Amino acid sequence: MIEFAVCLPVFLLITMGTIETCRMIYLRQSLKIAAYECARLAVVPGITPADLQDQCDVILLGRNIKNYALNCTPSDPSSLDYGEMFVSTVDAPASENALLSTWIYGSASVSESVSIMIEY
């Protein structure tokens, strides 16, 4: 019983740390996928900023990511010419997307961005 009482908190700490680390990896990957899909969509003719936001919503709401923000440079992809770069950035607060404890991350934010060149 003594060994169990001593080892259980250590095993729980390792387990909770692993779960939280995996959640942050999941968050980063989800943001990267959303940024990529928005950048890929931005090169299609006739796409509006609302279409990009809808694409981001579909991906991130489906993955249960909270309080994210999509930022595009330039904000309207239809203004780009051949050879110009489009950058989509997706940000989300780490503490609001953590599974276990929000005090670990404080006010930290996770951000992912993708750049793509207009080809036509």
Side-chain angles (χ1 to χ4, degrees), residues 24-25 27-36 60 65 67-71 87-94 97 107-114:
M24 285 302 114
I25 292 170
L27 175 63
R28 288 190 64 139
Q29 285 295 86
S30 297
L31 295 179
K32 188 65 147 183
I33 289 168
Y36 172 76
L60 294 179
I65 306 299
N67 294 331
Y68 56 88
L70 172 66
N71 298 311
V87 180
S88 65
T89 304
V90 183
D91 304 311
N97 290 290
S107 63
S109 179
V110 179
S111 178
E112 290 291 333
S113 66
V114 172

Side-chain angles (χ1 to χ4, degrees), residues 10-63:
V10 173
F11 286 134
L12 286 176
L13 183 65
I14 291 170
T15 302
M16 298 303 176
T18 302
I19 290 171
E20 198 60 41
T21 300
C22 291
R23 177 62 183 178
M24 285 302 114
I25 292 170
Y26 177 78
L27 175 63
R28 288 190 64 139
Q29 285 295 86
S30 297
L31 295 179
K32 188 65 147 183
I33 289 168
Y36 172 76
E37 290 297 326
C38 289
R40 189 179 65 83
L41 186 64
V43 299
V44 175
I47 293 298
T48 64
D51 295 332
L52 297 178
Q53 185 64 50
D54 289 343
Q55 181 71 16
C56 188
D57 291 343
V58 166
I59 293 167
L60 294 179
L61 291 176
R63 292 173 173 251

Side-chain angles (χ1 to χ4, degrees), residues 55-102:
Q55 181 71 16
C56 188
D57 291 343
V58 166
I59 293 167
L60 294 179
L61 291 176
R63 292 173 173 251
N64 201 27
I65 306 299
K66 302 175 188 102
N67 294 331
Y68 56 88
L70 172 66
N71 298 311
C72 299
T73 307
S75 60
D76 186 10
S78 64
S79 66
L80 292 172
D81 293 325
Y82 174 78
E84 293 183 332
M85 297 295 287
F86 178 82
V87 180
S88 65
T89 304
V90 183
D91 304 311
S95 61
E96 293 183 29
N97 290 290
L99 286 178
L100 301 174
S101 58
T102 59

